[in-house]
Amino acid sequence: MGGVWSQLVGQPDAVEVLSAAAQSGARLVDGTGTAAGMTHAWLFTGPPGSGRSVAARAFAAALQCTAGQEVPGCGECQGCHTAMGGTHADVRMVVPEGLTISVSEMRALVQTSARRPTGGRWQVVIITDADRLTEGAANALLKAVEEPPPRTVFLLCAPSDHPDDVSVTIRSRCRRIALRTPAADAISEVLRLRDGIDADTANWAASVCGGHVGRARRLATDPAARDRREKVLKIPLQLRRMTDVFDAAGELVKAAEADATEVSETRDEAEKDALRTAMGHGGTGKGTASASRGSAGAIKELEKRQKSRATRTKRDVLDLALVDLAGFYRDVLVVHAGSNTTLNHPDHADSAARAAQNWSPESALRRLEAVLGCREALEQNVKPQIAIEAMVAVLYSG
């Protein structure tokens, strides 16, 4: 299926359900049908890279599509273009820049969602990381989901429908769309056809990305991303002395800090400049002096949000490195078992084989558990340096 649905890689079942719901929504808007197949709250779940937010945005575009009931989500009309581009007046996308979504942020969003859609179709709210809702924010959202305005649709994205990710009360009021990890062939095809990447690079990136479409694209197009991955995957066989433990831990943390700084520097300064201008800095007219004095609080609040965003970026980079490490130790266990299962890192099969010769299955499993434990520690806000050093010490000792 083409149009906006072509953005969903390897998800035919989800596309079928969502396109049918969009058709029902179009008939409801046109007054030619009922709401059968359409509901006011949806929960998109699936592993990282499966396309949860992409599916939600494509569905939002299909609901705003003006091409008619037969082909909602044509990808050509203004409704589809603006919804997919993030500029549609009736589609709001919540992407948390910090570690959580606050209650104040959610209350403001709920108030906005209660308005009538300006285009006469649907008011759509997409929450890309619903698992980051605080308890208060979840309660504020629950009230809106329980008593939704007639033309408002909430699209929530989360890793799973487990209570640790989405509260039971919110989950029970949503229709669930379960996405799966896309096959390597499907990822390779989209890299070649949509991104113009040569076949060899596309096939390699698809084979090592762990089913994460965005990761595959970064690996195929960004030499720095490929270099970071190589450095991470060299760690297991480079831990020969205790000093290597601290060197490896320091390298991981420094790389994450460098990435966070690179992402933040340009964006942070641009945001501060825009805020200062909006608050009257540099102006000469009447009242600009008092406006400038009053901007200190707003700038301080902005800096707080930027610091939180940098912290999240750093932890996201570290988590990506840990996922690669976990994949390596899983490959070692696969080699031990003599299985024909596809490796996570087929281009490092020789390293996995050497590790399997030197480590027992129990030792490889302890190392894998240390990596997974480090991920959990970072989620619990343990200081990255401490969590990484504790992990690497286990990787060294086995």
Side-chain angles (χ1 to χ4, degrees):
M1 186 176 291
V4 299
W5 306 113
S6 64
Q7 302 292 318
L8 275 72
V9 181
Q11 309 292 347
D13 295 339
V15 169
E16 183 179 355
V17 172
L18 294 173
S19 59
Q23 286 180 325
S24 296
R27 287 193 290 270
L28 187 64
V29 169
D30 295 342
T32 58
T34 65
M38 182 61 191
T39 188
H40 69 284
W42 298 74
L43 176 60
F44 296 83
T45 62
S50 58
R52 300 186 299 255
S53 59
V54 174
R57 192 188 288 273
F59 185 38
L63 292 175
Q64 306 297 358
C65 182
T66 58
Q69 300 172 8
E70 300 304 320
V71 285
C74 67
E76 301 293 334
C77 69
Q78 183 180 10
C80 287
H81 272 299
T82 53
M84 293 301 291
T87 58
H88 196 290
D90 294 329
V91 178
R92 287 167 176 78
M93 197 157 186
V94 181
V95 182
E97 295 186 337
L99 299 177
T100 59
I101 302 175
S102 67
V103 62
S104 59
E105 185 178 359
M106 188 50 55
R107 284 172 178 165
L109 183 70
V110 167
Q111 289 179 348
T112 303
S113 69
R115 301 172 184 168
R116 290 180 60 84
T118 58
R121 300 191 70 80
W122 299 93
Q123 187 79 254
V124 183
V125 176
I126 303 173
I127 303 177
T128 62
D129 294 288
D131 53 308
R132 294 181 184 268
L133 290 165
T134 63
E135 183 178 356
N139 290 334
L141 175 63
L142 176 62
K143 183 173 178 60
V145 172
E146 285 180 329
E147 302 173 2
R151 288 286 183 83
T152 297
V153 181
F154 292 93
L155 309 180
L156 281 60
C157 306
S160 74
D161 60 358
H162 190 276
D164 287 345
D165 289 331
V166 181
S167 71
V168 174
T169 48
I170 290 179
R171 182 187 65 192
S172 65
R173 289 159 176 80
C174 298
R175 183 175 179 182
R176 184 185 169 204
I177 298 293
L179 304 178
R180 60 192 182 191
T181 300
D185 289 345
I187 296 174
S188 176
E189 181 180 9
V190 78
L191 291 179
R192 289 185 285 106
L193 299 181
R194 191 172 68 193
D195 300 306
I197 295 168
D198 66 272
D200 288 343
T201 302
N203 291 336
W204 169 79
S207 71
V208 302
C209 69
H212 195 303
V213 182
R215 180 90 197 280
R217 186 177 293 111
R218 282 195 296 273
L219 288 171
T221 59
D222 185 1
R226 295 193 289 270
D227 183 58
R228 283 193 296 271
R229 174 177 174 271
E230 285 299 314
K231 289 180 178 178
V232 168
L233 292 178
K234 287 179 180 178
I235 289 175
L237 297 181
Q238 285 183 339
L239 298 175
R240 301 184 181 91
R241 300 177 299 277
M242 197 60 195
T243 54
D244 295 335
V245 170
F246 300 103
D247 291 342
E251 285 286 335
L252 281 175
V253 175
K254 286 179 182 177
E257 290 174 344
D259 270 21
T261 300
E262 182 181 346
V263 169
S264 300
E265 276 184 345
T266 303
R267 185 176 177 184
D268 287 359
E269 200 53 44
E271 287 176 344
K272 288 179 182 178
D273 289 342
L275 179 59
R276 292 189 186 102
T277 301
M279 299 296 290
H281 278 252
T284 57
K286 184 178 180 181
T288 55
S290 59
S292 297
R293 287 194 298 270
S295 67
I299 292 175
K300 186 175 181 180
E301 180 63 28
L302 174 63
E303 290 174 342
K304 181 180 177 181
R305 293 199 305 271
Q306 290 174 340
K307 183 178 180 181
S308 179
R309 182 173 64 203
T311 299
R312 181 187 172 188
T313 300
K314 177 180 176 180
R315 294 190 179 184
D316 286 347
V317 172
L318 282 173
D319 190 66
L320 191 58
L322 296 178
V323 169
D324 282 337
L325 275 177
F328 178 83
Y329 291 112
R330 177 262 190 192
D331 288 350
V332 176
L333 291 171
V334 168
V335 173
H336 263 299
S339 172
N340 293 324
T341 303
T342 302
L343 299 181
N344 280 352
H345 303 293
D347 54 339
H348 284 260
D350 291 343
S351 296
R354 288 201 305 274
Q357 291 176 347
N358 296 326
W359 307 335
S360 67
E362 294 78 11
S363 178
L365 183 58
R366 283 194 294 270
R367 289 174 163 95
L368 174 57
E369 289 174 340
V371 177
L372 300 180
C374 184
R375 294 187 71 195
E376 292 180 2
L378 292 176
E379 288 179 0
Q380 298 299 320
N381 292 329
V382 174
K383 189 175 180 181
Q385 186 74 37
I386 295 174
I388 296 293
E389 286 182 356
M391 176 197 71
V392 180
V394 177
L395 301 187
Y396 167 72
S397 64

